[in-house]
Amino acid sequence: VQNPSQAVASDVAVHFESALLPDGWASDVRVGIAGGAIASVERDVALRAGDESASVGLPGVANVHSHAFQRGMAGLTEHRGPNADSFWTWRELMYRFVGRLTPDDAEAFAAQAYIEMLEAGFTRVGEFHYLHHDPDGRPYADLAEMAARVVAAAEEVGIALTLLPVFYAHSGFGGKPPSEGQRRFINSVDQYARLLEASRKLVAPLPHSTVGIAPHSLRAVTPEELSAIRPLAGDGPIHIHAAEQIREVEDCTAWSGMRPVEWLLNHAGVDRRWCLVHGTHMTDVETVRFAASGAVAGLCPITEGNLGDGVFPATGFLGAGGSFGIGTDSNVLISVAQELRQLEYTQRLRDRMRNVLAGGPNRSTGRTLFDCALKGGAQAIGLRTGIEVGAPADMFSVATDNAIFSARSGDQILDTFIFAGGDCCIDTVWRAGRRVVIGGRHIHRDKIEARYRVALDRLLHA
Ligand SMILES: [Zn+2]
């Protein structure tokens, strides 16, 4: 038996009893892999000697929005403070946590978050990276020190990376000076251009990885700055936080007479290359216009629920032809299945209906959600997904020997995975053709977890 930690992306084949291909379910699927990409997809063929085998194969999903270091805070902000808690009180706690984080901590936390993403079926991550400078707000000797740590974590763990260095300059609309808690995030436009250039060099050696730009939000970036950094995107994706909070919408309206999504649609040239993260608070007109722009909605239903943001108008948005990807954002919980389930359940609870996002009569809700997240996710992070020739060999298998899958086939397997099973059903995950998760565990979990425990203990108890 080959030692999995030494397995490299050599020519191998994986045989699935059934697999979800771009045109639907197929039986006895044999996926040939060369150089980390899918070289062939055969149907109705038997398992051959030397093939890796699994029961049900699904394409790996993109996580469009992550702040990896926040994984270390998961569960520490569920204790009520002296006053009513909100997104804004959570943010104060996050700023305090950020205050002491070292580059080593950032790398340890990112590696832990990324193995958990792979174990949960995410094979690629869009890292919305805003923690740039030392605790006093001074740039490190290497301006891209913190970006390098994110890249190192992704490389060690084997997840594909879309690095989205964040441009952050202000504490509020209209160019308000940044607050103390934000000093580690702040760059000038010139510094940001250098950071992007350095980030591109760092990411270049990683297979199937790329760099985009991320103006943080209209709270943190002026229209002039947005225009200045916009051309730096090149062909890469452009991500921005928008309309996550009611107060943000009110402040934006007071500043510009427009709501955040409305302002972006009117002034920023939003198109297919953009991902508007959250977009929670929109009018019906904004919802339809956003859908028509071709941009992707980066939805993070678990974090949006955790932070009390509100409910995204998914029925109106998808009804108007909108595209979405899912993100784990604060990483309070990392799961493809649970993000999709939470997205559907928020709509059910609001509308007091069932199968709200199925996309029409006689369709599987799980299948529609999965297909949309796969397609929108790939668009938003600028990388291909799917079990098809030419795409990176990023796949995961669901262990259907679990009793909850009894007598299920096709879309029922996805519905059961998303609504009844979840992460414990994930067996093997292939990334660039290599098995990085076996039996539900990342091949380097012991080492990465040990480093994470030490870093967190030091940060919280030193
Ligand atoms: Zn975010």
CSV table of all heavy atoms in Angstrom, one decimal, residues 301-341:
chain,number,residue,atom,x,y,z
A,301,PRO,N,-24.1,31.7,4.8
A,301,PRO,CA,-25.3,31.6,5.6
A,301,PRO,C,-25.0,31.3,7.1
A,301,PRO,O,-25.7,31.8,8.0
A,301,PRO,CB,-26.1,30.5,5.0
A,301,PRO,CG,-25.6,30.4,3.5
A,301,PRO,CD,-24.2,30.8,3.6
A,302,ILE,N,-24.0,30.5,7.4
A,302,ILE,CA,-23.7,30.1,8.8
A,302,ILE,C,-23.2,31.4,9.5
A,302,ILE,O,-23.7,31.7,10.6
A,302,ILE,CB,-22.7,28.9,8.9
A,302,ILE,CG1,-23.5,27.7,8.4
A,302,ILE,CG2,-22.2,28.8,10.3
A,302,ILE,CD1,-22.6,26.5,8.2
A,303,THR,N,-22.2,32.0,8.9
A,303,THR,CA,-21.7,33.3,9.6
A,303,THR,C,-22.7,34.3,9.7
A,303,THR,O,-22.9,35.0,10.7
A,303,THR,CB,-20.4,33.8,8.9
A,303,THR,OG1,-19.4,32.8,9.0
A,303,THR,CG2,-20.0,35.1,9.4
A,304,GLU,N,-23.5,34.5,8.6
A,304,GLU,CA,-24.6,35.5,8.6
A,304,GLU,C,-25.6,35.2,9.7
A,304,GLU,O,-26.1,36.1,10.3
A,304,GLU,CB,-25.2,35.6,7.2
A,304,GLU,CG,-24.3,36.2,6.1
A,304,GLU,CD,-24.6,35.8,4.7
A,304,GLU,OE1,-25.7,35.2,4.5
A,304,GLU,OE2,-23.8,36.1,3.8
A,305,GLY,N,-25.8,34.0,9.9
A,305,GLY,CA,-26.7,33.6,11.1
A,305,GLY,C,-26.0,33.8,12.4
A,305,GLY,O,-26.6,34.4,13.3
A,306,ASN,N,-24.8,33.5,12.5
A,306,ASN,CA,-24.0,33.6,13.7
A,306,ASN,C,-23.9,35.1,14.1
A,306,ASN,O,-24.0,35.4,15.3
A,306,ASN,CB,-22.6,33.0,13.6
A,306,ASN,CG,-21.9,33.0,14.9
A,306,ASN,OD1,-21.1,34.0,15.1
A,306,ASN,ND2,-22.1,32.0,15.7
A,307,LEU,N,-23.7,36.0,13.1
A,307,LEU,CA,-23.6,37.4,13.4
A,307,LEU,C,-24.9,38.2,13.4
A,307,LEU,O,-24.9,39.4,13.7
A,307,LEU,CB,-22.6,38.0,12.4
A,307,LEU,CG,-21.2,37.5,12.3
A,307,LEU,CD1,-20.4,38.2,11.3
A,307,LEU,CD2,-20.5,37.6,13.7
A,308,GLY,N,-26.0,37.5,13.2
A,308,GLY,CA,-27.3,38.2,13.2
A,308,GLY,C,-27.4,39.2,12.1
A,308,GLY,O,-28.0,40.3,12.3
A,309,ASP,N,-26.9,38.9,10.9
A,309,ASP,CA,-26.9,39.8,9.8
A,309,ASP,C,-28.3,40.0,9.2
A,309,ASP,O,-28.7,41.2,8.9
A,309,ASP,CB,-26.0,39.3,8.7
A,309,ASP,CG,-24.5,39.4,9.0
A,309,ASP,OD1,-24.2,40.1,10.0
A,309,ASP,OD2,-23.7,38.8,8.3
A,310,GLY,N,-29.0,39.0,9.0
A,310,GLY,CA,-30.3,39.0,8.3
A,310,GLY,C,-30.3,37.9,7.2
A,310,GLY,O,-29.4,37.1,7.2
A,311,VAL,N,-31.4,37.9,6.4
A,311,VAL,CA,-31.6,36.8,5.5
A,311,VAL,C,-31.5,37.3,4.1
A,311,VAL,O,-32.1,38.3,3.7
A,311,VAL,CB,-33.0,36.2,5.7
A,311,VAL,CG1,-33.3,35.2,4.6
A,311,VAL,CG2,-33.2,35.6,7.1
A,312,PHE,N,-30.6,36.7,3.3
A,312,PHE,CA,-30.4,37.1,1.9
A,312,PHE,C,-31.6,36.7,1.1
A,312,PHE,O,-32.2,35.7,1.3
A,312,PHE,CB,-29.2,36.3,1.3
A,312,PHE,CG,-28.9,36.6,-0.1
A,312,PHE,CD1,-28.2,37.8,-0.5
A,312,PHE,CD2,-29.3,35.8,-1.1
A,312,PHE,CE1,-27.9,38.0,-1.8
A,312,PHE,CE2,-29.1,36.0,-2.4
A,312,PHE,CZ,-28.4,37.2,-2.8
A,313,PRO,N,-32.0,37.7,0.2
A,313,PRO,CA,-33.3,37.4,-0.6
A,313,PRO,C,-33.0,36.4,-1.7
A,313,PRO,O,-33.0,36.7,-2.9
A,313,PRO,CB,-33.6,38.8,-1.2
A,313,PRO,CG,-32.3,39.5,-1.2
A,313,PRO,CD,-31.5,39.0,-0.1
A,314,ALA,N,-32.7,35.1,-1.4
A,314,ALA,CA,-32.3,34.1,-2.3
A,314,ALA,C,-33.3,33.8,-3.4
A,314,ALA,O,-33.0,33.5,-4.5
A,314,ALA,CB,-31.8,32.9,-1.6
A,315,THR,N,-34.6,33.7,-2.9
A,315,THR,CA,-35.7,33.4,-3.9
A,315,THR,C,-35.7,34.4,-5.0
A,315,THR,O,-35.7,34.0,-6.2
A,315,THR,CB,-37.0,33.2,-3.2
A,315,THR,OG1,-37.2,34.3,-2.3
A,315,THR,CG2,-37.2,31.9,-2.5
A,316,GLY,N,-35.8,35.7,-4.7
A,316,GLY,CA,-35.8,36.7,-5.7
A,316,GLY,C,-34.6,36.7,-6.5
A,316,GLY,O,-34.6,36.9,-7.8
A,317,PHE,N,-33.4,36.5,-5.9
A,317,PHE,CA,-32.2,36.6,-6.6
A,317,PHE,C,-32.0,35.5,-7.6
A,317,PHE,O,-31.7,35.7,-8.8
A,317,PHE,CB,-31.0,36.6,-5.6
A,317,PHE,CG,-29.6,36.8,-6.2
A,317,PHE,CD1,-29.2,38.0,-6.6
A,317,PHE,CD2,-28.8,35.7,-6.2
A,317,PHE,CE1,-27.9,38.2,-7.2
A,317,PHE,CE2,-27.5,35.9,-6.8
A,317,PHE,CZ,-27.1,37.1,-7.2
A,318,LEU,N,-32.3,34.3,-7.2
A,318,LEU,CA,-32.2,33.1,-8.1
A,318,LEU,C,-33.3,33.1,-9.1
A,318,LEU,O,-33.0,32.8,-10.3
A,318,LEU,CB,-32.2,31.8,-7.3
A,318,LEU,CG,-31.0,31.5,-6.3
A,318,LEU,CD1,-31.1,30.1,-5.8
A,318,LEU,CD2,-29.7,31.9,-6.9
A,319,GLY,N,-34.4,33.6,-8.7
A,319,GLY,CA,-35.6,33.7,-9.7
A,319,GLY,C,-35.2,34.7,-10.8
A,319,GLY,O,-35.7,34.5,-11.9
A,320,ALA,N,-34.4,35.7,-10.5
A,320,ALA,CA,-33.9,36.6,-11.5
A,320,ALA,C,-32.7,36.2,-12.3
A,320,ALA,O,-32.1,36.9,-13.0
A,320,ALA,CB,-33.7,38.0,-10.9
A,321,GLY,N,-32.3,34.9,-12.0
A,321,GLY,CA,-31.1,34.3,-12.8
A,321,GLY,C,-29.8,34.6,-12.1
A,321,GLY,O,-28.7,34.5,-12.8
A,322,GLY,N,-29.8,35.0,-10.8
A,322,GLY,CA,-28.5,35.3,-10.1
A,322,GLY,C,-27.7,34.1,-9.8
A,322,GLY,O,-28.2,33.0,-9.8
A,323,SER,N,-26.4,34.3,-9.7
A,323,SER,CA,-25.4,33.2,-9.4
A,323,SER,C,-24.9,33.4,-8.0
A,323,SER,O,-24.6,34.6,-7.6
A,323,SER,CB,-24.2,33.3,-10.3
A,323,SER,OG,-24.6,33.2,-11.6
A,324,PHE,N,-24.7,32.3,-7.2
A,324,PHE,CA,-24.1,32.5,-5.9
A,324,PHE,C,-23.0,31.4,-5.7
A,324,PHE,O,-23.0,30.4,-6.3
A,324,PHE,CB,-25.2,32.4,-4.8
A,324,PHE,CG,-25.7,31.0,-4.5
A,324,PHE,CD1,-25.0,30.1,-3.7
A,324,PHE,CD2,-26.9,30.5,-5.1
A,324,PHE,CE1,-25.5,28.8,-3.4
A,324,PHE,CE2,-27.3,29.2,-4.9
A,324,PHE,CZ,-26.6,28.4,-4.0
A,325,GLY,N,-22.1,31.8,-4.8
A,325,GLY,CA,-21.2,30.8,-4.3
A,325,GLY,C,-21.3,30.8,-2.8
A,325,GLY,O,-21.9,31.8,-2.2
A,326,ILE,N,-20.8,29.8,-2.1
A,326,ILE,CA,-20.8,29.8,-0.6
A,326,ILE,C,-19.5,30.0,0.0
A,326,ILE,O,-18.4,29.6,-0.6
A,326,ILE,CB,-21.5,28.5,-0.1
A,326,ILE,CG1,-20.9,27.3,-0.7
A,326,ILE,CG2,-23.0,28.6,-0.2
A,326,ILE,CD1,-21.2,26.0,0.1
A,327,GLY,N,-19.5,30.7,1.1
A,327,GLY,CA,-18.2,31.0,1.8
A,327,GLY,C,-18.4,30.7,3.3
A,327,GLY,O,-19.5,30.7,3.8
A,328,THR,N,-17.3,30.4,3.9
A,328,THR,CA,-17.3,30.1,5.4
A,328,THR,C,-17.0,31.3,6.2
A,328,THR,O,-17.0,31.2,7.5
A,328,THR,CB,-16.4,29.0,5.7
A,328,THR,OG1,-15.0,29.3,5.4
A,328,THR,CG2,-16.7,27.7,5.0
A,329,ASP,N,-16.6,32.4,5.6
A,329,ASP,CA,-16.4,33.7,6.2
A,329,ASP,C,-15.7,33.7,7.6
A,329,ASP,O,-14.4,33.5,7.6
A,329,ASP,CB,-17.8,34.4,6.4
A,329,ASP,CG,-17.7,35.9,6.6
A,329,ASP,OD1,-16.6,36.4,6.8
A,329,ASP,OD2,-18.7,36.5,6.7
A,330,SER,N,-16.3,33.7,8.7
A,330,SER,CA,-15.7,33.7,10.0
A,330,SER,C,-15.1,32.4,10.4
A,330,SER,O,-14.5,32.2,11.4
A,330,SER,CB,-16.7,34.2,11.1
A,330,SER,OG,-17.6,33.2,11.3
A,331,ASN,N,-15.5,31.3,9.7
A,331,ASN,CA,-15.1,30.0,9.9
A,331,ASN,C,-15.5,29.5,11.3
A,331,ASN,O,-14.8,28.6,11.9
A,331,ASN,CB,-13.5,29.8,9.8
A,331,ASN,CG,-13.2,30.0,8.3
A,331,ASN,OD1,-13.7,29.3,7.4
A,331,ASN,ND2,-12.3,30.9,8.0
A,332,VAL,N,-16.6,30.0,11.8
A,332,VAL,CA,-17.2,29.5,13.1
A,332,VAL,C,-17.6,28.1,13.0
A,332,VAL,O,-17.5,27.3,13.9
A,332,VAL,CB,-18.3,30.4,13.6
A,332,VAL,CG1,-19.5,30.4,12.6
A,332,VAL,CG2,-18.8,30.0,15.0
A,333,LEU,N,-17.9,27.6,11.7
A,333,LEU,CA,-18.2,26.2,11.4
A,333,LEU,C,-17.9,26.1,9.9
A,333,LEU,O,-18.1,27.0,9.1
A,333,LEU,CB,-19.7,26.0,11.7
A,333,LEU,CG,-20.2,24.6,11.7
A,333,LEU,CD1,-21.4,24.5,12.7
A,333,LEU,CD2,-20.6,24.1,10.3
A,334,ILE,N,-17.2,25.0,9.6
A,334,ILE,CA,-16.7,24.8,8.2
A,334,ILE,C,-17.4,23.6,7.6
A,334,ILE,O,-17.2,22.5,8.0
A,334,ILE,CB,-15.2,24.6,8.2
A,334,ILE,CG1,-14.5,25.9,8.7
A,334,ILE,CG2,-14.7,24.3,6.8
A,334,ILE,CD1,-13.0,25.8,9.0
A,335,SER,N,-18.3,23.8,6.6
A,335,SER,CA,-19.1,22.7,6.0
A,335,SER,C,-19.8,23.1,4.7
A,335,SER,O,-20.6,24.1,4.8
A,335,SER,CB,-20.1,22.2,7.1
A,335,SER,OG,-21.0,21.4,6.5
A,336,VAL,N,-19.5,22.4,3.7
A,336,VAL,CA,-20.3,22.6,2.4
A,336,VAL,C,-21.8,22.3,2.7
A,336,VAL,O,-22.7,23.1,2.4
A,336,VAL,CB,-19.8,21.7,1.3
A,336,VAL,CG1,-20.7,21.8,0.1
A,336,VAL,CG2,-18.4,22.1,0.9
A,337,ALA,N,-22.0,21.1,3.3
A,337,ALA,CA,-23.4,20.7,3.4
A,337,ALA,C,-24.2,21.6,4.3
A,337,ALA,O,-25.3,22.0,4.0
A,337,ALA,CB,-23.4,19.3,4.0
A,338,GLN,N,-23.6,22.0,5.4
A,338,GLN,CA,-24.3,22.9,6.4
A,338,GLN,C,-24.6,24.3,5.9
A,338,GLN,O,-25.6,24.9,6.2
A,338,GLN,CB,-23.6,22.9,7.7
A,338,GLN,CG,-23.7,21.5,8.4
A,338,GLN,CD,-23.3,21.5,9.8
A,338,GLN,OE1,-23.9,22.1,10.6
A,338,GLN,NE2,-22.2,20.7,10.1
A,339,GLU,N,-23.6,24.8,5.1
A,339,GLU,CA,-23.9,26.1,4.5
A,339,GLU,C,-25.1,26.1,3.6
A,339,GLU,O,-26.0,27.0,3.6
A,339,GLU,CB,-22.7,26.6,3.7
A,339,GLU,CG,-21.4,27.0,4.5
A,339,GLU,CD,-21.5,28.3,5.3
A,339,GLU,OE1,-22.6,29.0,5.2
A,339,GLU,OE2,-20.6,28.6,6.1
A,340,LEU,N,-25.1,25.0,2.7
A,340,LEU,CA,-26.3,24.9,1.8
A,340,LEU,C,-27.6,24.7,2.5
A,340,LEU,O,-28.6,25.2,2.1
A,340,LEU,CB,-26.0,23.8,0.8
A,340,LEU,CG,-24.8,24.1,-0.2
A,340,LEU,CD1,-24.5,22.8,-1.0
A,340,LEU,CD2,-25.0,25.3,-1.1
A,341,ARG,N,-27.5,23.9,3.5
A,341,ARG,CA,-28.7,23.6,4.3
A,341,ARG,C,-29.2,24.9,5.0
A,341,ARG,O,-30.4,25.2,4.9
A,341,ARG,CB,-28.4,22.6,5.4
A,341,ARG,CG,-29.6,22.1,6.2
A,341,ARG,CD,-29.1,21.3,7.4
A,341,ARG,NE,-28.1,20.3,7.1
A,341,ARG,CZ,-27.2,19.8,8.0
A,341,ARG,NH1,-27.2,20.1,9.2
A,341,ARG,NH2,-26.4,18.8,7.6
